Amino acid sequence: MNVVSVSTQPIDGQKPGTSGLRKKVKVFSQPGYLENFVQSIFDNLSGQQGKTLVLGGDGRYFNDTAIQIILRMAAAAGFGRVLVGQNGILSTPAASAVIRKQAAFGGIILSASHNPGGPDGDFGIKYNLANGGPANETFTEAVYQRSRSISVYKYVDAPDIDLGVPGETLLGDMKVQVIDPVADYAALQESLFDFNKIAELLARPEFRMRFDAMHAVTGPYAKAILEGRLGAPAGTVVNGDPLPDFGGGHPDPNPVYAADLVAALADPHSGLSFGAASDGDGDRNMIVGRDFIVSPSDSLAVLAANYQYIPAYSGGLAGVARSMPTSCAVDRVAQSLGIPCFETPTGWKFFGSLLDAGQLTLCGEESAGTGSNHVREKDGLWAVLFWLNILAARNETAPQIVREHWRKFGRNVYSRHDYEGIETAKADRLFAELRGKLPGLAGTEISGMRVELADDFAYTDPVDGSRSEKQGVRVLLQGGSRVVFRLSGTGTEGATLRVYLERYVADAALHEVPTQEALAPLVALAEKIANIATITGRDAPDVIS
Ligand code: G1P
Ligand code: ZN
């Protein structure tokens, strides 16, 4: 085996964010950039010799180049085998499923999730552990530190591997096994849900579904599961061919970027009764009923409240969890079920230890992510199948189910306002001033609302005791309403300010008030507290979801 050592120098800015390292393709394709980061990961592993690594990505531009580089480096790092998805494809939840099922040592996932792709788009990479979940902050920080002192990276000199056909090849002493990216994942889903019931629902003439894969990775998965195993009519999955630039779109399943799907479900002539979409790497989901968008926070709460219809969960939920900015709707379900509800910082990595410890069954985030203990990533298609299983079992529509949920638990009206591409200095100033105000806020009245608590969210992992500080500023108001301010940890240009707005409305007579109207007083309060317009010069958010 011909191992080549290349001298290198640290490259600035290789600090992983909410979900791995994300940068522009132009940054990633600089000589040595990817190599330095991958070597920094490998230098933090021990015991990988002879073990299995799982490798794949969402198929975005640069995926194939990166995979060949990583394969050669994995051989030099001593891995015995790499399982790589055919054509380099593995959705994020499928990678997690494969790591677990094949008892791999770990995995590398190539994706920038919902960020646009293409030569001018984004690329990303993250390392997942043997449990199938993203490495924790201690590990990602160690990788970053390594990237600041790295002096050499290593690879095995060998030609590119053909990833187009399943099979096994040797790269140096390491086996490269090209696997069907869908098989393990689809089998896992089938073991969780009542596929017969879902198939019956999909066969009903009055039930018509559309799944929008947004030209991203879930196309092949959705086709194989919905149209294949479950027998949905051909054409149920639209935009189902993954493209390196996602067809020029923004593969983020929210009302702004999946506007076509929302419009189709709002059109009485479309005949559609249920819609769903997933993101670039297949871990996010959007659920749409006829003329009705289910907010992701509500979706998590509804899934938790209907666990009894799902074979895998019908024995009961150990607990549920949500990220701090996610609405408190699921907390009310947990309370009524008498199970714990954990509040974690943003990012799936925080759910991992609780899932591993068996303290948690379902979890989710406001950013269209829901999942369970079946893998250690959020899982877009899983959420869609969960919904279909509920619809089939209850024989009701999604809007009926959500409205009934509100009547029972009250409605946590919720929205996120994003201000994108703010100058970093302005964002820093906004947060410095905001944090300065926090100690004086509790007990005061702003715009007629009483502040009960104002702090910078910090979290101690109940399982491993690790501490994460400065995870977002939260202002809790009397009556269960909240405003949360956070800076995105996944963006690649300037800073993105996220303002999360939540208002608890118990009175069913007010449940149909349009979301933005119901939240207007909280928008005003957020402005008063954070001076967004004055500091950033922006008088309206770029994206409202
Ligand atoms: C965003 C979401 C967060 C999610 C992450 C990865 O991170 O807000 O919930 O876990 O993407 O999909 P952010 O950009 O806010 O740091
Ligand atoms: Zn994603």
Side-chain angles (χ1 to χ4, degrees):
M1 195 164 84
N2 180 16
V3 178
V4 182
S5 295
V6 182
S7 297
T8 187
Q9 283 186 347
I11 302 175
D12 274 351
Q14 297 203 327
K15 189 176 171 63
T18 312
S19 185
L21 184 68
R22 289 203 190 151
K23 299 284 173 193
K24 293 275 167 217
V25 166
K26 294 224 155 68
V27 174
F28 258 109
S29 44
Q30 292 168 63
Y33 193 94
L34 176 71
E35 289 86 344
N36 270 18
F37 190 72
V38 172
Q39 191 66 53
S40 300
I41 294 174
F42 289 161
D43 287 351
N44 274 289
L45 304 179
S46 63
Q48 78 275 23
Q49 279 72 23
K51 299 273 171 58
T52 299
L53 180 75
V54 172
L55 176 61
D58 61 11
R60 66 178 57 226
Y61 189 83
F62 197 60
N63 193 66
D64 42 5
T65 311
I67 287 199
Q68 300 291 347
I69 292 173
I70 296 168
L71 283 173
R72 284 190 272 265
M73 291 184 69
F79 279 99
R81 183 172 73 141
V82 176
L83 300 176
V84 55
Q86 190 174 359
N87 295 316
I89 293 285
L90 274 177
S91 78
T92 294
S96 187
V98 174
I99 293 171
R100 294 168 69 78
K101 176 142 184 213
Q102 306 298 335
F105 183 84
I108 290 183
I109 302 178
L110 304 173
S111 168
S113 186
H114 49 287
N115 294 9
D120 298 317
D122 291 351
F123 191 73
I125 173 168
K126 70 174 175 177
Y127 184 72
N128 282 29
L129 303 170
N131 71 349
N136 60 23
E137 280 203 319
T138 314
F139 185 89
T140 56
E141 180 58 25
V143 171
Y144 174 52
Q145 291 310 331
R146 182 68 189 161
S147 79
R148 296 171 46 155
S149 64
I150 188 165
S151 60
V152 63
Y153 67 79
K154 293 182 183 162
Y155 69 91
V156 167
D157 193 15
D160 279 2
I161 300 279
D162 178 5
L163 301 177
V165 266
E168 212 173 273
T169 329
L170 271 183
L171 195 166
D173 298 337
M174 184 185 82
K175 278 186 200 157
V176 178
Q177 205 172 321
V178 177
I179 58 167
D180 173 354
V182 179
D184 283 349
Y185 178 84
L188 176 61
Q189 302 299 337
E190 191 158 4
S191 75
L192 303 174
F193 299 106
D194 189 337
F195 268 35
N196 291 334
K197 237 189 196 122
I198 299 175
E200 277 169 30
L201 172 75
L202 291 170
R204 288 184 209 162
E206 75 279 9
F207 187 85
R208 277 196 50 208
M209 168 178 184
R210 176 176 294 176
F211 181 92
D212 190 340
M214 304 185 88
H215 292 300
V217 81
T218 29
Y221 294 88
K223 280 187 198 164
I225 295 173
L226 297 173
E227 297 182 8
R229 293 187 185 216
L230 291 165
T236 297
V237 178
V238 300
N239 301 322
D241 295 320
L243 300 173
D245 66 348
F246 310 117
H250 198 136
D252 195 0
N254 65 35
V256 178
Y257 298 123
D260 290 353
L261 180 71
V262 174
L265 267 293
D267 175 2
H269 305 297
S270 71
L272 292 169
S273 32
F274 184 69
S278 191
D279 73 329
D281 62 330
D283 57 358
R284 295 184 173 200
N285 73 88
M286 179 162 83
I287 302 295
V288 193
R290 188 173 285 173
D291 207 11
F292 189 97
I293 300 170
V294 182
S295 111
S297 293
D298 277 347
S299 181
L300 173 63
V302 169
L303 300 190
N306 289 278
Y307 73 91
Q308 66 275 20
Y309 298 111
I310 312 299
Y313 312 113
S314 57
L317 306 177
V320 292
R322 62 166 172 83
S323 63
M324 181 274 283
T326 303
S327 99
C328 303
V330 73
D331 303 38
R332 296 176 185 275
V333 177
Q335 204 181 13
S336 88
L337 294 174
I339 57 172
C341 178
F342 299 90
E343 183 178 41
T344 61
T346 296
W348 211 259
K349 54 184 178 251
F350 294 99
F351 296 135
S353 64
L354 292 162
L355 288 164
D356 285 349
Q359 298 195 30
L360 182 59
T361 310
L362 300 181
C363 44
E365 296 193 274
E366 51 67 38
S367 53
T370 18
S372 88
N373 55 1
H374 70 293
V375 286
R376 295 293 181 272
E377 291 279 3
K378 53 187 178 257
D379 188 346
L381 255 179
W382 168 90
V384 176
L385 292 166
F386 201 134
W387 266 96
L388 286 170
N389 202 151
I390 297 173
L391 298 180
R394 287 185 50 169
N395 217 357
E396 285 169 283
T397 68
Q400 285 169 338
I401 288 171
V402 176
R403 288 195 167 106
E404 200 217 294
H405 186 95
W406 291 343
R407 279 194 291 278
K408 183 165 175 198
F409 295 99
R411 178 177 176 194
N412 290 70
V413 184
Y414 187 85
S415 180
R416 188 177 94 186
H417 290 192
D418 292 338
Y419 299 77
E420 296 177 343
I422 298 174
E423 272 169 57
T424 313
K426 289 182 179 167
D428 289 346
R429 184 184 143 205
L430 188 145
F431 271 84
E433 292 185 12
L434 184 57
R435 290 197 162 104
K437 278 189 193 168
L438 291 178
L441 279 183
T444 59
E445 196 148 304
I446 308 172
S447 310
M449 287 169 273
R450 193 166 185 78
V451 178
E452 282 189 342
L453 183 148
D455 70 357
D456 210 341
F457 183 63
Y459 177 70
T460 305
D461 186 300
V463 182
D464 65 20
S466 59
R467 179 106 178 134
S468 303
E469 313 261 359
K470 292 198 169 173
Q471 296 295 323
V473 167
R474 53 178 189 172
V475 179
L476 310 192
L477 303 159
Q478 205 169 30
S481 297
R482 304 189 306 165
V483 179
V484 173
F485 304 88
R486 241 189 101 247
L487 285 180
S488 160
T490 58
T492 56
E493 261 175 336
T496 293
L497 167 67
R498 304 203 193 285
V499 183
Y500 307 82
L501 307 147
E502 175 175 358
R503 181 170 167 192
Y504 180 64
V505 179
D507 183 357
L510 299 174
H511 286 168
E512 300 298 329
V513 175
T515 301
Q516 298 307 320
E517 195 180 314
L519 294 175
L522 290 167
V523 174
L525 177 134
E527 181 56 40
K528 265 198 184 145
I529 296 180
N531 295 319
I532 302 167
T534 325
I535 297 177
T536 68
R538 307 283 181 85
D539 50 16
D542 301 288
V543 179
I544 293 182
S545 54

